């Protein structure tokens, strides 16, 4: 028999989800079912919590206590870059393998870097800038009209000025 469920215990469940969309209950059921929660209700909470990230895949952290789920969105670098590009919504079923051909400004780049700094493993701020530039390269966008790889080399040669924080 399963152990007795403690009502005050806090459980954390993480999953990757498209923002503003209902997760299939077949995905949610094995994760929240044993905690005594309805997958449909949790799915509705996720839709409400991720409405600002419509169409972008983000990591959702569910903090479950007393059979109530609190939704936290933990954006990764890719979702932050795509959100900053402000592209129109696409139908995922019809358009595949999208190259995001937008352009970010330096200010937008540094804003993303400041959000990702706590998650980064780099020692210095410019290391985190290089990480995000690598993400920009993978996404397919440019920064100030330049290719991200060229900017990474400029950072290595001290030609690109990065703030300390």
């Amino acid at each position: 028999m399963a152990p007795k469920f403690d009502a005050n215990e806090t459980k954390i469940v993480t999953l990757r989800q498209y923002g503003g969309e209902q997760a299939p209950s077949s995905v949610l059921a094995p994760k929240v079912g044993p905690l005594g929660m309805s997958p449909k209700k949790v799915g509705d909470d996720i839709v409400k919590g991720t409405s600002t990230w419509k169409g972008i895949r983000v990591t959702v952290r569910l903090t479950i206590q007393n059979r109530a789920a609190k939704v936290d969105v933990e954006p990764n670098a890719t979702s932050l870059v795509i959100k900053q590009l402000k592209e129109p919504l696409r139908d995922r079923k019809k358009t595949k393998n999208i190259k995001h051909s937008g352009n970010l400004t330096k200010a937008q780049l540094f804003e993303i870097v400041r959000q990702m700094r706590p998650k980064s493993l780099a020692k210095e701020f410019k290391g985190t800038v290089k990480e995000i530039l690598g993400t920009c390269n993978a996404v397919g966008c440019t920064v100030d009209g330049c290719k991200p790889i060229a900017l990474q080399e400029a950072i290595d040669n001290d030609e690109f000025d990065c703030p300390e924080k």
Side-chain angles (χ1 to χ4, degrees):
M1 195 166 135
K4 184 84 174 101
F5 183 68
D6 183 15
N8 294 327
E9 187 181 9
T10 304
K11 291 268 188 196
I12 295 174
V13 178
T14 55
L15 56 132
R16 296 271 294 155
Q17 179 67 40
Y18 281 100
E21 292 184 20
Q22 177 85 32
S25 55
S26 61
V27 172
L28 288 174
K31 295 182 179 184
V32 298
L35 304 174
M37 298 191 66
S38 156
K40 182 159 178 22
K41 188 172 152 259
V42 172
D44 293 339
D45 290 346
I46 291 173
V47 169
K48 283 184 203 137
T50 61
S51 59
T52 57
W53 296 89
K54 240 181 182 43
I56 302 172
R57 195 160 176 161
V58 290
T59 305
V60 178
R61 193 166 104 222
L62 299 170
T63 309
I64 299 171
Q65 187 173 20
N66 293 335
R67 288 183 148 182
K70 185 174 150 279
V71 177
D72 294 315
V73 177
E74 291 183 348
N76 57 4
T78 310
S79 43
L80 285 169
V81 168
I82 293 172
K83 188 175 184 185
Q84 279 291 354
L85 289 172
K86 295 181 179 76
E87 292 185 339
L89 283 173
R90 289 191 178 96
D91 186 11
R92 283 198 338 266
K93 291 181 176 81
K94 292 179 184 162
T95 52
K96 303 278 185 199
N97 301 331
I98 306 155
K99 273 288 182 201
H100 303 272
S101 56
N103 187 33
L104 292 176
T105 63
K106 264 189 188 180
Q108 288 174 319
L109 174 73
F110 292 142
E111 185 182 318
I112 293 169
V113 172
R114 286 184 187 98
Q115 284 180 306
M116 289 302 294
R117 186 71 184 121
K119 281 184 172 183
S120 172
L121 298 175
K123 284 183 184 174
E124 298 174 8
F125 187 79
K126 70 179 184 179
T128 310
V129 172
K130 287 176 69 176
E131 286 180 3
I132 302 302
L133 284 170
T135 303
C136 290
N137 185 50
V139 165
C141 69
T142 57
V143 179
D144 276 343
C146 300
K147 289 194 179 231
I149 299 212
L151 289 177
Q152 284 181 335
E153 288 174 9
I155 290 173
D156 288 338
N157 301 333
D158 293 327
E159 296 162 3
F160 185 83
D161 53 321
C162 288
E164 289 301 309
K165 287 198 176 214

